[in-house]
Amino acid sequence: MTTKTDTDMHVSYEDQQKINKFARHNARLDDIIEELKSKENELQALEDAESDLMLLEDQDKVQFRVGDVFVFVSTEDAQQMVEERKENVSVEAQALRSQQAANLNKLCFQ
């Protein structure tokens, strides 16, 4: 007593193009959201590092990570480098938020 229904649907070429366009924008939006989360996590880590540096002000030199190695720099230099990196990450995060808004508009107004 099983019934078999025909579920094949015809999709026009224009509709398929719209589906593909939507899928591309949606995938890009997902990528932007992941990048934005990464930038926000990095920003939080930099704020934590900045707080830790305030506790180490009495030390002459602190270790600072540059790429894959750690170098000794003065506390003031480390604070300056952290502040510069925070500014860069904030700018990058803002650019991602703009891209996110643009992609949302594309998804909503197709």
Side-chain angles (χ1 to χ4, degrees):
M1 291 275 199
T2 61
T3 59
K4 186 175 183 182
T5 59
D6 189 21
T7 58
D8 290 341
M9 295 186 70
H10 175 70
V11 178
S12 70
Y13 177 78
E14 293 82 20
D15 288 342
Q16 186 62 51
Q17 294 303 317
K18 289 178 184 178
I19 292 168
N20 293 345
K21 186 177 179 182
F22 178 85
R24 282 192 305 272
H25 286 300
N26 195 43
R28 179 64 184 137
L29 183 61
D30 288 342
D31 292 343
I32 290 170
I33 290 170
E34 287 300 315
E35 286 181 60
L36 189 55
K37 285 180 187 177
S38 173
K39 295 297 178 189
E40 289 170 351
N41 289 341
E42 185 177 354
L43 193 57
Q44 181 61 45
L46 288 166
E47 288 173 0
D48 293 343
E50 193 172 44
S51 297
D52 290 345
L53 281 172
M54 288 183 187
L55 298 174
L56 299 173
E57 283 185 345
D58 58 336
Q59 294 185 3
D60 291 336
K61 301 269 184 189
V62 294
Q63 287 185 350
F64 193 85
R65 182 176 167 197
V66 178
D68 292 335
V69 297
F70 287 90
V71 294
F72 285 97
V73 296
S74 69
T75 307
E76 295 84 24
D77 288 342
Q79 287 173 337
Q80 182 181 3
M81 287 187 264
V82 168
E83 186 61 36
E84 288 173 4
R85 184 65 189 147
K86 272 180 55 178
E87 289 175 16
N88 291 339
V89 171
S90 294
V91 168
E92 292 168 2
Q94 186 58 39
L96 287 170
R97 285 187 197 96
S98 296
Q99 289 178 8
Q100 181 182 22
N103 271 314
L104 281 173
N105 284 337
K106 289 177 184 177
L107 286 173
C108 294
F109 297 111
Q110 284 188 356

